[in-house]
Amino acid sequence: MYEPKSFDDLKVNDRVSLSKTITEADGALYIAATGDFGPVHVDEVYASATRFGRRLAPGIMVAGLCTSILTSELVGTIGVSVEDRFWFTGPVFYGDTLTFDVWIAEQHDETRTVIWEASARNEGGLEVLKARASLKFPRRKPS
């Protein structure tokens, strides 16, 4: 967990899968830290009148779990994020157990860049998040 890996340690199609239940505590900590007090996340009365019918977990919090899994389980802590794209394809409710699949889709030696992708599905199999992002790794130190 959180072991440093070099660019040369990584390979296209390296993959990890991890499941996590999204809790009220996760949401409360994220909301408190970011100030994201959107009523669909915190106000049950408001959220019940939306098309979702109840409160949603913050999408960016869920997206952040992808990046956490990426660094803790797949690529390590050396790469620096240079671009992140997330698509919120379905609702995430508190209590949902999500399975995150994160993988290396491309590796560019000349720029020392890794393109990673991710998908998260709820326990019913509905995809709720897609991601595509890039990490840049430092140049090798001269010998």
Side-chain angles (χ1 to χ4, degrees):
M1 185 166 200
Y2 292 108
E3 89 182 54
K5 293 182 183 177
S6 76
F7 179 81
D8 299 321
D9 292 333
L10 308 174
K11 308 255 182 306
V12 171
N13 295 323
D14 285 354
R15 170 180 299 263
V16 66
S17 182
L18 191 115
S19 295
K20 175 175 179 24
T21 300
I22 307 302
T23 67
E24 292 273 350
D26 295 328
L29 290 168
Y30 173 84
I31 290 164
T34 63
D36 182 3
F37 290 95
V40 76
H41 305 309
V42 298
D43 185 334
E44 193 66 54
V45 173
Y46 176 89
S48 68
T50 69
R51 66 186 172 110
F52 304 109
R54 57 187 166 137
R55 290 180 305 127
L56 295 175
I60 294 295
M61 178 189 75
V62 175
L65 292 170
C66 286
T67 62
S68 174
I69 293 166
L70 175 78
T71 56
S72 67
E73 303 294 330
L74 189 60
V75 300
T77 57
I78 302 295
V80 176
S81 181
V82 294
E83 180 181 25
D84 297 309
R85 296 176 65 194
F86 300 102
W87 295 267
F88 304 102
T89 55
V92 176
F93 302 105
Y94 296 111
D96 283 357
T97 298
L98 304 182
T99 299
F100 295 87
D101 292 304
V102 182
W103 64 93
I104 296 174
E106 301 172 28
Q107 190 170 12
H108 302 281
D109 293 335
E110 64 282 358
T111 59
R112 299 185 60 79
T113 303
V114 166
I115 307 299
W116 63 272
E117 296 183 359
S119 174
R121 295 184 182 279
N122 66 18
E123 57 271 3
L126 175 70
E127 183 177 62
V128 296
L129 177 80
K130 290 178 7 177
R132 182 171 170 88
S134 52
L135 289 175
K136 189 158 182 73
F137 284 75
R139 290 189 187 110
R140 291 182 198 97
K141 292 182 180 178
S143 320

